[in-house]
């Protein structure tokens, strides 16, 4: 289907795919909107600029695996009415748009560009995630704290992407990360120290579970143990942090297979997980991801409180039929970021990959390509 969920360009500044957003209204396509509030579950939610390291669309081991092939798990009984009521209780809140990003830099620097108004209103004006993809132990706490405190000051919820696991892309476009798992565990401790005490959504390591097949059985077990530990550390540091684990996407591993891997990584335990995320840096339609994520959650087990978040940043036209993953033509932005999805067990639609940041074909990996952004937005 597509290449590793994240093409990342490591730099040690607060630019790149690290932006943040406001809640949208869950429409099929993003559109100019004020930073008005939308409902969100405070009991489950929360990201800081780091280097412009952006993942590129995840590529599954077999490009021939179709979305339909992954929708074969036996569904479990639906949650009871009480469970549904507990899950759907909402309060009004807003997602955070970080004030520094590549798209905002471009908008500020190009006031007379004819593409500016479209890019500004349809992309730059939306809340988006902040990626932490460079291994910088000395500064990670302060950088995370800068994002979480900035969001808290506005009464908004930031989305942070943790992306530093060793061998994070199996040597692909986004290769990099911590030198080993011991260093990674220590880095996670420092990351957690910057989470603060307010609501925050954490997208934990795109590709780390779905693309673990490149590792030996022993290395895979060690990685999953570190991911489970990371979830526990993050949630212990801030009980209001919502931590989501890697479910790949609907065109990758079958739901039951992905759930079995996720269980090993601690995703079924409320001590380390609030659920799963899917479609990061990818293009699969929201409806396909909803169906797939529910199948994964059913197979995963765990409490009924576990939910899913979906990256809708570039899935407005669905995935290319030919499986192209690198800045494919004919795509468009998807549903606006929101925690008010109206869908059972779907906690949020997020823009994890910022539209316009290249996978490596329309620009250097992870850098902003205005022509690509304009094509997606118009």
């Amino acid at each position: 289907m597509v290449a590793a969920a994240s093409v990342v360009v490591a730099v040690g500044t607060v630019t790149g795919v690290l932006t943040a957003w406001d809640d949208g209204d869950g429409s099929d396509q993003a559109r100019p909107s004020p930073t008005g509030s939308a409902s969100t579950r405070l009991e489950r939610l929360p990201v800081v600029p780091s280097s412009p390291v952006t993942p590129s669309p995840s590529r599954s081991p077999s490009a021939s695996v179709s979305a339909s092939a992954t929708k074969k798990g036996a569904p479990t009984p639906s949650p009871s009415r009480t469970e549904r009521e507990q899950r759907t209780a909402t309060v009004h809140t807003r997602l955070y748009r970080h004030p520094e990003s590549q798209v905002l830099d471009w908008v500020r620097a190009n006031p007379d560009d004819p593409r500016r108004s479209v890019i500004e209103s349809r992309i730059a004006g939306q809340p988006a995630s902040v990626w932490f993809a460079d291994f910088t132990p000395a500064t990670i706490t302060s950088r995370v704290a800068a994002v979480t405190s900035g969001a808290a000051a506005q009464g908004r919820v930031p989305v942070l992407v943790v992306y530093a696991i060793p061998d994070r892309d199996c040597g692909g476009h986004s290769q990099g990360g911590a030198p080993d798992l011991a260093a990674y565990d220590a880095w996670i401790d420092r990351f957690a120290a910057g989470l603060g005490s307010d609501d925050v959504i954490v997208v934990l390591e795109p590709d780390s579970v779905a693309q673990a097949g490149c590792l030996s059985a022993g290395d895979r077990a060690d990685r999953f143990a570190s991911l489970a530990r990371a979830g526990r550390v993050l949630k212990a540091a801030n009980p209001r942090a919502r931590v989501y684990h890697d479910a790949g996407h609907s065109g990758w591993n079958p739901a039951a297979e992905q759930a079995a891997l996720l269980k090993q990584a601690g995703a079924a335990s409320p001590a380390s997980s609030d659920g799963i995320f899917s479609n990061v840096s990818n293009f699969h339609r929201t409806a396909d991801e909803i169906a797939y994520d529910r199948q994964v959650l059913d197979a995963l087990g765990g409490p009924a409180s576990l939910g899913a978040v979906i990256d809708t940043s570039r899935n407005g036209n669905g995935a290319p039929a030919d499986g192209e993953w690198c800045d494919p033509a004919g795509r468009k932005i998807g549903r606006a970021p929101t925690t008010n999805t109206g869908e059972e067990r779907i906690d949020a639609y997020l823009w994890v990959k910022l539209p316009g940041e290249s996978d490596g074909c329309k620009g250097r990996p992870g850098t902003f390509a205005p022509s690509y952004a304009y094509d997606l937005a118009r």
Side-chain angles (χ1 to χ4, degrees):
M1 36 115 331
V2 265
S6 324
V7 166
V8 181
V9 183
V11 271
T13 63
V14 281
T15 66
V17 57
L18 50 100
T19 81
W21 353 310
D22 288 341
D23 254 359
D25 62 359
S27 59
D28 285 338
Q29 195 173 348
R31 58 179 180 273
S33 63
T35 57
S37 63
S39 61
T40 186
R41 310 174 216 277
L42 280 189
E43 64 253 354
R44 47 170 102 233
L45 283 174
V47 178
V48 132
S50 91
S51 44
V53 177
T54 16
S56 62
S58 2
R59 173 174 52 216
S60 68
S62 170
S64 63
V65 178
S66 67
S68 59
T70 64
K71 295 178 184 174
K72 297 179 180 173
T76 58
S78 300
S80 66
R81 177 178 177 181
T82 299
E83 290 172 328
R84 287 197 302 269
E85 290 174 346
Q86 289 174 341
R87 286 186 51 80
T88 56
T90 59
V91 297
H92 288 289
T93 190
R94 291 175 290 181
L95 290 168
Y96 179 61
R97 181 173 70 90
H98 194 272
E100 297 181 58
S101 70
Q102 292 185 76
V103 63
L104 286 170
D105 288 346
W106 183 87
V107 166
R108 293 164 186 147
N110 296 273
D112 300 321
D113 192 296
R115 301 166 296 184
R116 182 181 186 273
S117 63
V118 170
I119 291 174
E120 180 178 24
S121 63
R122 297 177 67 82
I123 295 179
Q126 294 291 338
S129 62
V130 179
W131 288 73
F132 295 87
D134 53 335
F135 181 70
T136 52
T139 61
I140 189 62
T141 301
S142 61
R143 288 193 294 116
V144 172
V147 175
T148 55
S149 62
Q154 296 181 22
R156 302 189 182 193
V157 178
V159 178
L160 315 180
V161 182
V162 178
Y163 194 59
I165 198 84
D167 299 313
R168 64 188 175 201
D169 188 16
C170 295
H173 288 281
S174 303
Q175 57 185 295
D180 53 52
L181 288 175
Y184 177 74
D185 292 347
W187 183 84
I188 283 290
D189 292 344
R190 296 189 178 195
F191 185 102
L195 287 178
S197 58
D198 293 289
D199 296 310
V200 58
I201 295 171
V202 180
V203 174
L204 182 62
E205 300 293 347
D207 296 336
S208 62
V209 177
Q211 198 178 31
C214 65
L215 304 175
S216 68
D219 288 344
R220 188 161 56 247
D222 290 343
R223 169 182 285 190
F224 290 165
S226 270
L227 289 170
R229 177 191 181 276
R232 292 193 300 271
V233 168
L234 295 168
K235 291 185 66 61
N238 179 357
R240 293 172 69 175
R242 310 295 304 181
V243 179
Y244 295 89
H245 292 250
D246 172 38
H249 55 67
S250 59
W252 204 331
N253 296 326
E257 177 183 324
Q258 187 66 25
L261 298 174
L262 281 161
K263 190 170 295 187
Q264 297 175 57
S269 169
S272 60
S273 171
D274 292 282
I276 61 175
F277 63 83
S278 72
N279 208 41
V280 167
S281 296
N282 226 287
F283 308 92
H284 295 274
R285 291 188 182 278
T286 303
D288 292 335
E289 293 306 300
I290 290 172
Y292 176 71
D293 288 347
R294 285 173 175 163
Q295 289 172 1
V296 172
L297 289 168
D298 286 343
L300 181 62
S305 60
L306 297 182
V309 298
I310 298 169
D311 187 352
T312 59
S313 60
R314 306 187 298 177
N315 72 346
N317 275 344
D322 62 1
E324 177 57 56
W325 61 268
C326 187
D327 302 331
R331 304 310 97 197
K332 70 177 180 181
I333 52 179
R335 298 189 181 192
T338 182
T339 57
N340 184 23
T341 69
E343 293 285 349
E344 184 70 26
R345 303 202 81 175
I346 306 301
D347 295 346
Y349 301 136
L350 305 175
W351 281 11
V352 182
K353 169 85 169 184
L354 188 63
E357 292 189 352
S358 177
D359 300 321
C361 293
K362 295 184 183 294
R364 288 189 300 109
T367 59
F368 183 72
S371 60
Y372 181 39
Y374 183 69
D375 288 343
L376 288 168
R378 67 178 178 171

